[in-house]
Amino acid sequence: MASKLIMNEAIKASELLLTGLSGESLGVVSREEALAMAKERKADLVCESLMSSPPPCRLVARGAAKQEKDQAGKAARQASGAVKVKEIRLTPHIEEHDYDTKYRQAEKLLQSGNGVLLVVKIQGKEGQAAKALLERLTGDLKGYGTRKTGIQQSGKQAAVELLPL
């Protein structure tokens, strides 16, 4: 997760190395002077790093710093490759139009980068029918995703997980 954003009054250093709104260097200024400049220009004072002395800070249009941080966090989460897995439930004796609906649902999820867990609820001796349905569905979805697991049958359900290509 991204580090905490230190802004405005939360900055405790007495002197700051300040950068202006358009990237120009304003040199080393006192904390009070920097806060006054930020207020005067209707901007936020954002601390870049606490690792150096004086800490480098910059003036950023009001609200833009938080938005920038949120976007960076979102990009980092997407880059981390954490795939969300969505579950789609089926029954072994499924009508053809229902099958098509579930297929389109799974296809859309895989195309948007989510994993899909296909689960077939089983009652009695429907195990083979459930397995056959999952084989058919994974075969049809081959162009959109790959199997993460084989078909796993346990008690009252059979399941297979697909990951996007």
Side-chain angles (χ1 to χ4, degrees):
M1 188 121 169
S3 62
K4 192 170 180 289
L5 197 60
I6 301 171
M7 297 173 49
N8 303 329
E9 281 74 25
I11 300 170
K12 298 298 181 198
S14 56
E15 286 190 328
L16 314 170
L17 181 59
L18 192 60
T19 305
L21 281 168
S22 45
E24 74 280 6
S25 176
L26 301 174
V28 177
V29 295
S30 71
R31 174 180 180 263
E32 290 70 29
E33 196 179 334
L35 287 170
M37 279 185 197
K39 196 172 190 177
E40 175 186 307
R41 295 177 179 159
K42 291 184 172 53
D44 285 324
L45 182 63
V46 179
C47 187
E48 304 280 299
S49 164
L50 294 173
M51 295 301 145
S52 58
S53 181
C57 295
R58 63 187 168 116
L59 295 174
V60 179
R62 197 155 272 151
K66 188 173 186 329
Q67 193 176 1
E68 224 173 78
K69 179 185 177 251
D70 292 346
Q71 286 176 341
K74 184 179 177 186
R77 282 191 301 278
Q78 286 176 341
S80 72
V83 175
K84 276 190 178 168
V85 177
K86 307 283 186 167
E87 184 175 310
I88 295 181
R89 294 182 181 183
L90 308 136
T91 57
H93 307 293
I94 189 170
E95 297 287 326
E96 198 56 40
H97 64 93
D98 292 333
Y99 175 87
D100 293 339
T101 302
K102 297 292 185 178
Y103 168 81
R104 282 195 308 275
Q105 236 180 351
E107 177 187 339
K108 196 181 290 182
L109 287 168
L110 288 168
Q111 283 180 332
S112 66
N114 292 308
V116 176
L117 180 65
L118 300 168
V119 178
V120 179
K121 298 291 177 193
I122 301 171
Q123 295 175 347
K125 298 180 179 173
E126 296 175 332
Q128 287 308 105
K131 216 169 189 173
L133 174 65
L134 288 175
E135 288 288 349
R136 177 181 168 203
L137 200 47
T138 53
D140 290 349
L141 290 167
K142 207 174 232 98
Y144 304 101
T146 57
R147 281 189 187 184
K148 178 182 178 187
T149 61
I151 294 176
Q152 299 166 335
Q153 204 168 336
S154 61
K156 297 182 186 212
Q157 70 178 25
V160 63
E161 190 174 334
L162 302 176
L163 294 176
L165 289 175

